[in-house]
Amino acid sequence: MPVLASARYGKDNVRVYKVHRDEKTGVQSVTEMTVCCLLEGEIETSYTQADNSVVVATDSIKNTIYIKAKEHPVNPPELYASHLGSHFLSRYPHISAAHIKVVVHRWARMSVDGSPHPHSFFRDSEETRTVEATISRSPSSSQNGSDVRLDLKSSIAGLSVLKSTGSAFHGFVRDEFTTLPETWDRILSTDIDCTWTWKPFASLAYVQGGVERFDRAWESARGIIMKTFATDDSASVQNTMYKMCEQILEAVPEADKTAFSLPNKHYFEIDLSWHKGLKNTGKDAEVYAPQSGPSGLIKCEVARDVPMVIR
Ligand SMILES: O=c1[nH]c(=O)c2[nH]c(=O)[nH]c2[nH]1
C-alpha cells in the first residue's frame, strides 16, 4: 500500500518589486526579488482524497507574498522571509512549516555627472543575494502559531571572479588516466556560490532583534571571498574555498556552517606556433580559449562543532 511520504506545495517565481521613497530628500531606493513559498502540514488528504478544504490556494499564497511585502520591510531579505513564513503558521493551524526562498537581484544606483542619481539604477552584475528560510513549529508548541523556530540560510550566488595569476595546481594523482600537466601558474575563474547557515532562531522576535547582523554578515562574507580569492596563493580551488569558509565562520559567529559550490572554469592555452612560429604557450601565453564546458565542480561545507540556538 503506497503512502504519501512527503508533500509540499506553493507558488514559485513570484517576482516582486518594492520602492522606498524618502519624502525629505526625494531619493528613492528599489528592491527586486523572486520569491518561492512552499507549505507543509496536514495536507495529505488533498493528495489522497481530493479534499481541497485543507488547501490554501497557491493564488492566495502569491497574494500573501505581495501583501507581506507591503506590510513589512523587504530588507534585509532574511527579515522579510521570516515575516512571510511566520504568517502562514500563525494564520493556518494545520500548516506546520513554510519554506521560503527569496532571491534579490541587483539594481545599483546610477552615477550621473559624478553624483548618485535619486531614482535611476542599472544591473551591474548577475550576482544575487538569497535567503532560504524554513519556519516550522517547535516540537513543544501547540498549534497556536506562537512557538516557531526559524532556520535561515543566506547566500551569495552568481558572483563571477577571475585571477590571471596566483593560482597553481600540482601534486595531484598521476596515473594512466591523467593527461593534465601540473602547473605553477594558471588562470583561476569561478562563479561564487557561498551559503552560511544561521544557528536556529527561537522566534521571529530573535530575527527582528539585531536585524543588522544579516547585512553585516553579507558584507563580511563578500569581502572575505573577494580578498581571499585575490590574495591567496591558491594551491587548488579546494584549499582556497576552505580558507574562505574558515574566515566566514570567524566573522559571523552566529553562523554554524559555511558552504561553497564552485565551478572551476577552464581557460585553455592555444598553440599558435603553426602560424609564423608565434609563441603563445607557457610563459609566452597571452591569448587563451575560455571554455564553456566541461568545468570542474568543487563543493564543501565547513561546520562549527558547537551547535546552539540564538536566544
Ligand atoms: O583546483 C583544482 N582542483 C581540482 O580538483 C582540479 N582538477 C583539475 O583537473 N583541475 C583542478 N583544479
Side-chain angles (χ1 to χ4, degrees):
M1 166 89 168
V3 289
L4 187 70
S6 74
R8 59 178 74 169
Y9 80 100
K11 209 65 139 188
D12 192 12
N13 283 317
V14 183
R15 296 185 57 183
V16 183
Y17 163 96
K18 186 174 185 182
V19 62
H20 174 263
R21 302 184 186 91
D22 186 324
E23 300 298 347
K24 281 206 191 83
T25 62
V27 173
Q28 304 196 353
S29 302
V30 301
T31 303
E32 183 166 338
M33 53 191 186
T34 305
V35 180
C36 176
C37 173
L38 303 180
L39 304 181
E40 266 187 293
E42 288 166 21
I43 55 174
E44 298 87 353
T45 53
S46 66
Y47 293 82
T48 58
Q49 294 170 39
D51 168 20
N52 287 343
S53 69
V54 296
V55 177
V56 178
T58 69
D59 192 63
S60 313
I61 295 172
K62 174 204 67 186
N63 292 340
T64 308
I65 289 170
Y66 296 138
I67 290 165
K68 294 297 152 185
K70 175 71 180 177
E71 289 177 345
H72 298 286
V74 293
N75 287 303
E78 288 87 351
L79 179 63
Y80 170 67
S82 298
H83 276 299
L84 178 61
S86 300
H87 162 84
F88 289 101
L89 271 65
S90 56
R91 183 70 181 76
Y92 307 107
H94 71 293
I95 297 300
S96 58
H99 302 272
I100 312 290
K101 181 171 181 185
V102 178
V103 180
V104 182
H105 309 283
R106 285 180 76 87
W107 282 123
R109 191 173 295 282
M110 274 190 197
S111 197
V112 176
D113 297 333
S115 304
H117 196 271
H119 60 248
S120 296
F121 306 87
F122 69 109
R123 173 84 21 104
D124 62 345
S125 123
E126 290 307 314
E127 179 187 344
T128 54
R129 174 174 170 178
T130 297
V131 56
E132 287 185 67
T134 296
I135 295 86
S136 49
R137 294 189 197 283
S138 319
S140 59
S141 71
S142 58
Q143 287 192 343
N144 60 11
S146 59
D147 268 339
V148 296
R149 150 189 174 140
L150 300 93
D151 292 283
L152 303 183
K153 288 184 196 186
S154 305
S155 312
I156 292 171
L159 170 60
S160 298
V161 292
L162 177 148
K163 66 195 289 186
S164 51
T165 187
S167 166
F169 187 60
H170 47 81
F172 50 88
V173 174
R174 291 214 82 79
D175 59 15
E176 68 275 30
F177 295 95
T178 313
T179 52
L180 184 73
E182 296 186 298
T183 178
W184 279 258
D185 186 8
R186 67 174 181 174
I187 295 162
L188 184 59
S189 180
T190 189
D191 302 325
I192 300 292
D193 181 343
C194 169
T195 300
W196 52 101
T197 303
W198 296 88
K199 297 175 195 298
F201 291 86
S203 76
L204 180 57
Y206 288 107
V207 174
Q208 288 171 297
V211 76
E212 329 72 50
R213 60 162 70 89
F214 298 110
D215 283 351
R216 212 166 41 224
W218 179 82
E219 272 156 32
S220 299
R222 199 166 181 271
I224 287 165
I225 289 164
M226 299 266 213
K227 184 170 179 184
T228 309
F229 183 81
T231 59
D232 183 40
D233 220 345
S234 176
S236 62
V237 174
Q238 286 90 330
N239 184 237
T240 300
M241 78 205 299
Y242 184 77
K243 289 177 179 171
M244 292 173 179
C245 286
E246 281 183 316
Q247 293 174 75
I248 292 170
L249 283 179
E250 194 173 330
V252 188
E254 293 159 306
D256 258 348
K257 200 163 67 178
T258 308
F260 275 89
S261 175
L262 300 181
N264 187 9
K265 297 164 79 178
H266 305 304
Y267 288 67
F268 286 175
E269 284 190 6
I270 312 167
D271 184 349
L272 296 176
S273 59
W274 53 272
H275 182 81
K276 303 178 185 173
L278 274 180
K279 291 183 178 166
N280 192 52
T281 57
K283 64 175 181 20
D284 299 311
E286 289 178 299
V287 176
Y288 293 76
Q291 303 296 296
S292 39
S295 50
L297 182 59
I298 320 246
K299 295 174 177 248
C300 76
E301 280 188 349
V302 179
R304 223 186 275 289
D305 47 8
V306 235
M308 54 175 271
V309 173
I310 298 175
R311 34 172 106 248

